[in-house]
Amino acid sequence: LDIKSNVYAFDSSTIDLCLSVFWWAEFRKTKGGVKLHTLFDVKTSIPTCIHITKASVHDVNVLDLLKYESGGYYILDRGYTDFGRLYKIHMHSAYFVTRTKTNLRFKRMYSGKVEKKSGVLSDQIGILEGFYASKNYPEKLRRIKYYDEETNKTFVFLTNNTGLKATEIAQLYKKRWEVELFFKWMKQHLKIKSFWGISLNAVKIQIYCAIIAYCLVAIIGNKLK
């Protein structure tokens, strides 16, 4: 990424727990777990913020705990589409990139030129329709429709950034996969599915120890580049 500002991917992963042992972690009637909410620095491959909650806590609520960096980019899955919270990112002079939901009501104001050979099918500026959506996010937004040859899928992105090329916005969203790789690495290599204690505090301590181990590996890897 040829972007000077920091780029962060934010997502969560559920760690399953046996409900008969971890009774406090009730998620569903027969299932228990905790969620690992992670703000991941894409450029350094190191998490900058970790928040552990019960699995029943909705992902979007954790956005309220983040401190947004002016000029920074925050890549979010469409599950985090809450226009009031996205507007908060905008008001901190930061940028977000997310995917649209199928029921998005968007009024196009004008369209930019696109090169369909690049995969960009449309690049539009517009405003949200609907009483609550337009009230929670009263300013203009950018909607980009992009076809990815690698996956043979079409994506529709929503962002408040108008300075980057549409292809750069698509590349930014691809970087969200970095946080998924972090979750995969944690679960495969550090065996955090087997816990030594049964209290919430014991579970948190073991997870944090695993994260520290990951960070040490990542820091050494960055120095060797």
Side-chain angles (χ1 to χ4, degrees), residues 108 110-115 120-125 142:
R108 182 185 65 87
Y110 55 89
S111 300
K113 293 182 179 180
V114 298
E115 294 182 8
V120 181
L121 303 179
S122 65
D123 187 357
Q124 304 171 338
I125 299 294
R142 185 182 184 188

Side-chain angles (χ1 to χ4, degrees), residues 146 148 150 169-178:
Y146 178 80
D148 186 13
E150 293 182 11
I169 296 296
Q171 289 175 347
L172 272 174
Y173 191 81
K174 282 185 178 181
K175 292 297 180 181
R176 197 191 69 83
W177 183 246
E178 299 287 338

Side-chain angles (χ1 to χ4, degrees), residues 50-222:
I50 297 287
H51 186 62
I52 300 171
T53 67
K54 296 179 181 179
S56 57
V57 174
H58 197 286
D59 294 348
V60 75
N61 293 331
V62 185
L63 289 177
D64 298 333
L65 304 178
L66 298 183
K67 303 295 182 182
Y68 297 108
E69 178 182 312
S70 178
Y73 290 83
Y74 295 84
I75 312 167
L76 310 167
D77 186 54
R78 59 185 170 188
Y80 292 93
T81 303
D82 180 286
F83 292 114
R85 291 177 169 95
L86 292 179
Y87 191 61
K88 181 180 177 182
I89 298 176
H90 179 74
M91 293 303 292
H92 279 79
S93 301
Y95 304 107
F96 61 84
V97 177
T98 185
R99 286 173 61 192
T100 63
K101 292 185 176 180
T102 55
N103 61 348
L104 177 71
R105 296 178 61 187
F106 182 85
K107 182 179 180 180
R108 182 185 65 87
M109 300 175 67
Y110 55 89
S111 300
K113 293 182 179 180
V114 298
E115 294 182 8
K116 293 190 176 181
K117 291 182 179 180
S118 66
V120 181
L121 303 179
S122 65
D123 187 357
Q124 304 171 338
I125 299 294
I127 57 174
L128 297 174
E129 291 185 316
F131 177 78
Y132 291 106
S134 59
K135 182 180 179 181
N136 292 333
Y137 203 107
E139 297 192 29
K140 297 177 183 177
L141 282 167
R142 185 182 184 188
R143 184 176 65 176
I144 297 168
K145 192 174 184 179
Y146 178 80
Y147 172 72
D148 186 13
E149 288 186 354
E150 293 182 11
T151 60
N152 193 28
K153 292 182 179 180
T154 300
F155 300 93
V156 183
F157 303 116
L158 198 66
T159 181
N160 62 332
N161 181 278
T162 57
L164 295 180
K165 297 178 181 177
T167 52
E168 291 177 314
I169 296 296
Q171 289 175 347
L172 272 174
Y173 191 81
K174 282 185 178 181
K175 292 297 180 181
R176 197 191 69 83
W177 183 246
E178 299 287 338
V179 70
E180 300 289 348
L181 294 177
F182 165 72
F183 293 140
K184 184 178 180 180
W185 190 93
M186 289 278 292
K187 291 181 177 180
Q188 286 184 350
H189 296 279
L190 297 176
K191 308 298 180 185
I192 59 175
K193 288 187 177 180
S194 300
F195 292 94
W196 302 323
I198 63 173
S199 68
L200 175 59
N201 192 49
V203 171
K204 285 184 176 182
I205 289 173
Q206 188 167 344
I207 293 175
Y208 287 137
C209 288
I211 293 167
I212 291 170
Y214 170 87
C215 290
L216 291 173
V217 174
I219 290 169
I220 294 172
N222 288 336

Side-chain angles (χ1 to χ4, degrees), residues 18-52:
C18 178
L19 192 57
S20 62
V21 178
F22 303 91
W23 66 93
W24 47 265
E26 185 176 357
F27 177 33
R28 292 169 184 160
K29 289 184 178 180
T30 59
K31 195 173 183 179
V34 293
K35 273 186 181 178
L36 184 64
H37 306 269
T38 303
L39 184 66
F40 194 78
D41 189 326
V42 170
K43 292 186 175 180
T44 62
S45 297
I46 294 175
T48 62
C49 178
I50 297 287
H51 186 62
I52 300 171

